[in-house]
Every structure is written in structure tokens, then in C-alpha cells.
Amino acid sequence: MNSENMPWVGFRVIPLVVIDQADDIKFVMDALLEGGIGVIEIGLRTDSALDAIREAVAEQKMVVAAGTVRTSKQVHQVLDAGVAFGISPSSSESMMDTVLNVGLPFIPAIATLTEAQVASDRGFTDLKTYPTDLLGGEKFLRSVGAVMSEVRLIPAGGVSEQNLSSYLSEKNVLAVSGSWIASRELIAARNFDEITLRAKRAQEIAKTHG
């Protein structure tokens, strides 16, 4: 399923955003764009998430992904909302089958080699690892790479500005997903200038890793 033309390819940092007020998404997008980031992952973690996704898609400013997609119903919802791709914290077989049936570009998540193999057998070779910090961080990523060279990983969970360079240095890491850039707290405080600054710093780090 995955190939070089998938919509997430080319981005090294994918900001995960949790939105409590759908209208805030416009300000968050503007802040990220000013910081040089052209992709946003909106997590299905609040009642406002789907509305925020629809607004983000309608803006046509960024590549919009739906995050925290866990069920077949949510797959259909985000597909109808017009997202470019979906990201999950898990890799249930029913969800992956639904994704393949509807043709939504998708990144399932794995926490074991068995899950990685099951996903790879279905054609998913770009995989999120979650929660990466609890799985062993870079050591876990290397362990997967040692036996599954066809898999590219997107670590999430505990990713921060402090360890971003370390994760991006791993040869099997395609990108990272994290909430530190546009955190829920910064959005609630409407501190969009800080979001822009964090986005700029993340991009500066990412550029040093190709």
C-alpha cells in the first residue's frame, strides 16, 4: 500500500493537534505554516475533532491527516471529511481491512514485531510506533529495523524537541509525530506565537537530518 507518493512522504515532523474548539484550527494552521510546517495531524480525541478536520480540509492550506483513528466507523468518517491520510495508535485487523477496502492512505501503529509483520503482510510498510518512549525509544526502532528492513517507522509517544534529533538520526525513521509543537495547553492559552517558534525549531532540527 505504501509508496513514495503517499501524502506523508517528504515531511519529517508531523504535529499532532488536539482541538477543543473547532474554530481554533485556523489559528493553529497559520501558526504552523509560519513556522514552516505544511502538515497537521488532528487527533480524534475530542467532540470537536471532526468539525476541526472538516474546517482544516476546507482551508486547503496544509496536508491534513486524521489521527487517533481506531475503528472502521472512524475510517469512513475521516474519509468523508476529506483527509489526505489517517494515522492510528493501533493496528486492528478489522480497521486495516476497512482502510484497504476504501483506499484511504493510512499509517497503522505497532508495538511489537508481530504487529509489524501483520501490518506488513497487508501492505502497510510505513508504520507508527506507539508509545515509543515506553517501548524503549531508539533501541526499539533499531530492533525492528534489524529484522524488518522493508519497514519505515514514525515514532510517537514521548517525542519532544529534546529527543527529536536522536529519533530522526535512526536510518529507518521516516518522520516523527508529536504534540509538543502545538500542545493542547498552548492552544487553550491561544499562544500561537509559541507554536510558530516551536515549529521553526523543529524544522531547523529536521533539516539537519535530510
Side-chain angles (χ1 to χ4, degrees), residues 4 13 16 57 96 103 107 116 136-137 139 147 174 183 190 203:
E4 290 301 325
V13 179
L16 169 62
V57 170
M96 289 190 291
I107 303 170
K139 290 182 180 179
V147 294
L174 179 62
S183 70
R190 307 189 69 75
Q203 285 295 83

Side-chain angles (χ1 to χ4, degrees), residues 12-13 138 159-171 173 176 180 201-202 204-209:
R12 302 296 323 263
V13 179
E138 295 90 339
V159 180
S160 66
E161 185 175 316
Q162 287 67 41
N163 59 25
L164 176 60
S165 180
S166 180
Y167 278 130
L168 291 178
S169 296
E170 297 298 325
K171 62 181 180 180
V173 167
V176 302
W180 86 94
R201 291 199 297 265
E204 289 170 0
I205 294 170
K207 286 177 182 176
T208 66
H209 297 283

Side-chain angles (χ1 to χ4, degrees), residues 23-201:
D23 289 345
D24 284 342
I25 196 63
K26 298 175 183 178
F27 301 104
V28 176
M29 292 172 69
D30 287 343
L32 291 172
L33 283 167
E34 188 175 344
I37 292 180
V39 62
I40 186 170
E41 174 190 354
I42 302 172
L44 296 180
R45 302 186 184 187
T46 67
D47 292 338
S48 300
L50 271 174
D51 286 338
I53 287 171
R54 293 186 188 100
E55 288 196 29
V57 170
E59 288 286 313
Q60 297 185 339
K61 293 180 178 180
M62 306 179 74
V63 175
V64 179
T68 325
V69 180
R70 299 182 298 108
T71 67
S72 295
K73 178 181 178 181
Q74 289 175 327
V75 170
H76 286 288
Q77 288 175 327
V78 300
L79 181 67
D80 291 343
V83 298
F85 64 101
I87 306 179
S88 180
S90 59
S91 55
S92 75
E93 295 187 32
S94 62
M95 180 184 63
M96 289 190 291
D97 287 344
T98 299
V99 167
L100 292 172
N101 287 335
V102 301
L104 177 68
F106 202 78
I107 303 170
I110 59 98
T112 67
L113 283 171
T114 298
E115 291 173 346
Q117 188 64 62
V118 170
S120 179
D121 287 347
R122 277 176 161 75
F124 297 94
T125 52
D126 288 355
L127 302 171
K128 174 178 169 179
T129 58
Y130 182 80
T132 308
D133 54 343
L134 300 183
L135 295 171
E138 295 90 339
K139 290 182 180 179
F140 176 74
L141 304 176
R142 290 174 209 145
S143 295
V144 175
V147 294
M148 298 187 71
S149 59
E150 77 276 15
V151 166
R152 302 185 298 184
L153 303 176
I154 300 176
V159 180
S160 66
E161 185 175 316
Q162 287 67 41
N163 59 25
L164 176 60
S165 180
S166 180
Y167 278 130
L168 291 178
S169 296
E170 297 298 325
K171 62 181 180 180
N172 59 341
V173 167
L174 179 62
V176 302
S177 167
S179 60
W180 86 94
I181 296 175
S183 70
R184 198 171 186 175
E185 293 75 19
L186 286 177
I187 296 170
R190 307 189 69 75
N191 192 348
F192 302 114
D193 288 342
E194 178 63 20
I195 291 173
T196 294
L197 290 174
R198 293 186 183 191
K200 286 180 178 178
R201 291 199 297 265

